[in-house]
């Protein structure tokens, strides 16, 4: 998830041709992605506890994810324009600092309103982070390794959801959710030093350069990819945001950390497989990803009272979800270039916010057992679009983008 990355770095010195990837700066960028998603989604794993301590309902506390994602989505394009000429490394450091401050406030605040204000600030900072990651990855790698560099950098997104949130949930159960947010602050401070020491500097773009972002909608394939992004992310976040509440409704909430860990391990496997095959099998992987999530939702509709079925569904869901960031980011880049990336940021985060909001409405109106049905209703059209849009959005053979 990023905005006009290459354009923002066009004036930076080109990376020299090299055989090996510069792993330390790439891993620092991946950790920045990890922290952005961890800061956003950690409340999902400790939602009941946060709601109780702040004396609000679980649906109200779920809006901590909504306001963060909404801030990221709505600020992505205007923030990209506002900061286009800024020094990129300084902007990245400022954004990670905002994560540290927001998580510190969350850890110590007893005010729901204050917490939500700093969640909004962190969401805006996340938009700035997404603006830099892919562009930096491309500039750090030789042309023949740029795809792999992007995969390494963006692996922080699914890793945060697949491992960071389960570990945070486990630590929250042991030590309390406030200490968990405090630990995230510590990691953010370490990351600041890592970025400062290893990530190369890069200036912003010259004033007056760059093309209108919204015109990317007219490019063949972009609208189809963005529909898939919107529906897939909405489906995932309706269920994931309230996974603790969903498990509690079947009296298996005590297995929450294990369920999330199973999901996480499956997601890591998916990340590895996707990274190895995305350049050659983008279409097939996207079809399989969508189908696996559909099967998982059917299992949760029919037999969610059986813990072993839930574990199996988590495996299928994780295998489907783990590589989605890389798959959809690659697809939108192929179809719309860097302007497509900017639209992806807005779409992804807006519908991530929508997941928390729609999930809260469903929770109050229909109860948590309605969540898998909503996933099914959204993912069937996703699969159909992926299958049908085979010419420009999800072609069998990817274009040569050099």
């Amino acid at each position: 998830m990023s905005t006009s990355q290459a354009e923002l770095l066009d004036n930076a010195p080109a990376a020299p041709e090299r055989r090996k990837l510069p792993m330390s700066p790439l891993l620092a960028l991946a950790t920045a992605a990890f922290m952005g998603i961890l800061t956003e989604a950690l409340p999902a794993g400790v939602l009941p506890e946060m709601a109780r301590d702040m004396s609000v309902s679980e649906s109200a506390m779920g809006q901590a994810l909504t306001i963060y994602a909404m801030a990221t989505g709505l600020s992505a394009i205007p923030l990209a324009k506002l900061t286009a000429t800024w020094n990129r490394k300084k902007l990245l450091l400022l954004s990670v600092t905002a994560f540290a401050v927001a998580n510190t406030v969350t850890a110590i605040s007893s005010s729901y309103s204050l917490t939500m204000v700093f969640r909004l600030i962190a969401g805006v900072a996340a938009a700035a982070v997404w603006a830099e990651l892919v562009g930096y990855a491309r500039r750090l790698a030789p042309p023949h390794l740029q795809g792999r560099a992007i995969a390494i950098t963006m692996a922080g997104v699914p890793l945060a959801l697949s491992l960071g949130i389960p570990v945070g949930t486990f630590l929250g159960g042991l030590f309390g959710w406030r200490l968990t947010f405090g630990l995230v602050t510590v990691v953010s401070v370490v990351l600041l030093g890592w970025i400062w020491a290893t990530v190369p500097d890069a200036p912003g773009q010259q004033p007056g350069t760059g093309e209108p972002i919204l015109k990317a909608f007219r490019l063949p394939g972009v609208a189809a990819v963005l529909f898939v992004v919107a529906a897939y992310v909405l489906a995932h976040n309706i269920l994931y945001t309230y996974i603790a509440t969903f498990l509690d409704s079947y009296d298996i909430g005590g297995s929450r950390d294990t369920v999330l860990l199973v999901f996480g391990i499956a997601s890591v496997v998916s990340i590895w497989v996707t990274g190895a095959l995305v350049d050659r099998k983008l279409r097939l992987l996207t079809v399989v990803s969508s189908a696996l999530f559909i099967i998982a939702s059917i299992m949760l509709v029919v037999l969610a009272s059986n813990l072993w079925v839930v574990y199996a569904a988590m495996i299928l869901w994780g295998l489907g979800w783990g590589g989605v960031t890389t798959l959809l980011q690659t697809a939108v880049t192929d179809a719309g270039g860097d302007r497509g990336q900017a639209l992806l940021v807005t779409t992804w985060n807006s519908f991530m916010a929508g997941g928390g909001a729609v999930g809260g409405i469903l929770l109050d109106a229909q109860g948590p057992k309605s969540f898998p049905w909503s996933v099914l209703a959204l993912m069937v059209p996703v699969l159909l679009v992926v299958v049908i849009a085979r010419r420009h959005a999800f072609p069998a053979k990817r274009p040569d983008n050099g």
Side-chain angles (χ1 to χ4, degrees), residues 75-268:
S75 66
I77 292 176
L79 188 66
K81 294 179 179 179
L82 177 66
T83 63
T85 60
W86 292 20
N87 179 282
R88 313 324 295 169
K89 183 173 179 177
K90 290 180 180 178
L91 179 60
L92 188 60
L93 289 170
L94 180 63
S95 301
V96 176
T97 300
F99 291 158
V101 173
N103 283 310
T104 299
V105 171
T106 301
I108 63 178
S109 171
S110 58
S111 167
Y112 177 77
S113 298
L114 180 65
T115 300
M116 297 298 272
V117 167
F118 277 86
R119 295 284 297 171
L120 184 149
I121 293 171
V124 174
V129 169
W130 305 134
E132 307 310 317
L133 297 181
V134 170
Y136 256 120
R138 290 170 61 181
R139 301 291 292 188
L140 288 169
H144 67 288
L145 292 178
Q146 285 181 354
R148 189 172 299 175
I150 292 171
I152 291 170
T153 298
M154 299 312 298
V157 174
L159 282 174
L161 290 171
S162 59
L163 292 181
I165 306 305
V167 171
T169 302
F170 176 74
L171 293 175
L174 285 180
F175 305 113
W177 66 269
R178 293 186 183 276
L179 179 59
T180 303
F181 276 95
L183 292 174
V184 175
T185 296
V186 172
V187 176
S188 298
V189 173
V190 173
L191 176 59
L192 284 171
W194 190 1
I195 292 172
W196 181 84
T198 67
V199 175
D201 204 359
Q205 67 183 24
Q206 293 295 321
T209 61
E211 298 179 76
I213 292 172
L214 293 179
K215 286 187 177 180
F217 271 120
R218 303 176 186 175
L219 298 174
V222 169
V225 176
L226 292 178
F227 171 82
V228 171
V229 170
Y232 204 130
V233 170
L234 181 62
H236 171 82
N237 281 279
I238 286 173
L239 184 56
Y240 195 89
T241 300
Y242 297 98
I243 188 64
T245 305
F246 175 75
L247 296 175
D248 285 343
S249 71
Y250 286 98
D251 297 323
I252 53 178
S255 301
R256 183 196 322 169
D257 53 352
T258 308
V259 168
L260 289 174
L261 182 60
V262 168
F263 172 83
I265 293 171
S267 296
V268 171

Side-chain angles (χ1 to χ4, degrees), residues 40 63-76 119-120 123-124 127 345-346 348-354 357:
E40 177 172 9
Q63 304 317 304
L65 284 83
T66 302
I67 195 170
Y68 183 111
M70 185 176 294
T72 303
L74 295 180
S75 66
R119 295 284 297 171
L120 184 149
V124 174
V345 176
T346 297
W348 187 291
N349 288 282
S350 297
F351 281 86
M352 184 175 284

Side-chain angles (χ1 to χ4, degrees), residues 287-308:
V287 169
V288 171
S289 167
S290 304
L292 288 175
F293 197 8
I294 289 172
I295 296 169
S297 66
I298 293 172
M299 294 171 69
L300 293 176
V301 164
V302 176
L303 287 171
S305 59
N306 186 311
L307 181 58
W308 293 105

